[in-house]
Amino acid sequence: LFRMACDSCLESLDQGRRAGPGGLRRQGGANPGEFCKSLSMCAIIDANVVGEVFGQDRPEAGERFFRWLNDGNGLLVTGGRLSRELGQSQQYLEWFKQAILKGVLRTEDEGSVRERENTIRNEGMCESDDPHILALAQISGARLLYTNDRALQRDFGKRDLIADPRGKVYSTLRRNDYTETHRRLLSNRTLCRSRR
């Protein structure tokens, strides 16, 4: 039986994956069925938690999120300005190289993300300074966001910005141990949708 996977996950398999700042591409060669079995949800990581996921001294919740990604249970989505922000972390860049080979990372088209970001900014709908992350979620279909930015958390929960399904936030603001809430978020197979 296949787990649910978003259309954009399958599309990225068919079209290959971008490899980030250098624009490298790796053509998808895996069987889509195998891809669906291992990947069930797309997620975004805010730059403010990159150390919690890829750093040496990860909190338990960050370690579990890292394992969830690294073991192929999720797909990290990046693109636009967020790619550059994450690329400032040496630990992320080291993981990034392996993630491309494993097929657990997808980079969205820079122009599409930037265009959507500008639309969100011009509409004045978000209170955070992260319209690029909201744009990435809208374009990619990712509905799980790991962030400790309170304003971004509020924006990600707004139905007008992230819907069908609504966005969910994975955070260590209150507790950095691995809680039941964290476990439920990483086991939820319905937090992905087709691209807009």
Side-chain angles (χ1 to χ4, degrees):
L1 295 175
F2 297 110
R3 294 179 184 161
M4 288 178 58
C6 65
D7 293 341
S8 58
C9 295
L10 295 175
E11 186 177 315
S12 74
L13 182 84
D14 293 336
Q15 295 179 355
R17 290 165 203 75
R18 290 183 186 260
L24 283 156
R25 286 182 67 84
R26 175 180 174 257
Q27 294 300 318
N31 175 335
E34 291 303 310
F35 190 72
C36 285
K37 286 179 191 176
S38 64
L39 291 181
S40 55
M41 184 173 21
C42 305
I44 298 170
I45 295 175
D46 189 6
N48 74 2
V49 294
V50 71
E52 290 190 11
V53 179
F54 302 106
Q56 296 300 316
D57 297 319
R58 301 177 193 125
E60 184 183 10
E63 174 64 32
R64 293 291 189 102
F65 194 95
F66 176 80
R67 278 195 269 157
W68 175 80
L69 278 177
N70 214 41
D71 291 348
N73 294 310
L75 177 74
L76 182 64
V77 178
T78 187
R81 188 170 118 200
L82 183 61
S83 292
R84 292 185 295 280
E85 290 174 350
L86 295 175
Q88 294 176 18
S89 163
Q90 187 59 42
Q91 291 121 338
Y92 168 77
L93 289 175
E94 290 170 13
W95 176 83
F96 173 87
K97 295 170 193 170
Q98 295 302 312
I100 295 298
L101 298 173
K102 286 178 158 184
V104 296
L105 176 90
R106 186 182 73 236
T107 302
E108 294 293 341
D109 177 69
E110 169 103 19
S112 299
V113 176
R114 186 174 44 246
E115 183 178 323
R116 185 66 57 89
E117 175 185 353
N118 289 336
T119 300
I120 292 169
R121 184 179 289 114
N122 292 338
E123 291 175 354
M125 295 174 57
C126 64
E127 62 181 275
S128 70
D129 62 353
D130 295 299
H132 62 294
I133 291 178
L134 301 167
L136 181 60
Q138 289 180 3
I139 296 284
S140 70
R143 293 297 182 263
L144 179 64
L145 171 66
Y146 188 169
T147 185
N148 286 334
D149 179 328
R150 286 193 167 112
L152 179 55
Q153 290 176 359
R154 288 189 294 274
D155 284 343
F156 207 74
K158 291 178 182 174
R159 186 179 302 275
D160 291 347
L161 289 169
I162 308 294
D164 301 321
R166 293 189 58 189
K168 300 290 182 187
V169 175
Y170 189 99
S171 178
T172 54
L173 273 176
R174 291 189 183 160
R175 295 179 59 177
N176 63 9
D177 56 328
Y178 188 66
T179 65
E180 178 62 20
T181 300
H182 292 130
R183 187 198 65 73
R184 279 196 314 268
L185 286 170
L186 295 185
S187 62
N188 187 336
R189 304 297 179 213
T190 62
L191 292 178
C192 211
R193 65 159 289 161
S194 298
R195 295 180 191 183
R196 289 186 181 182

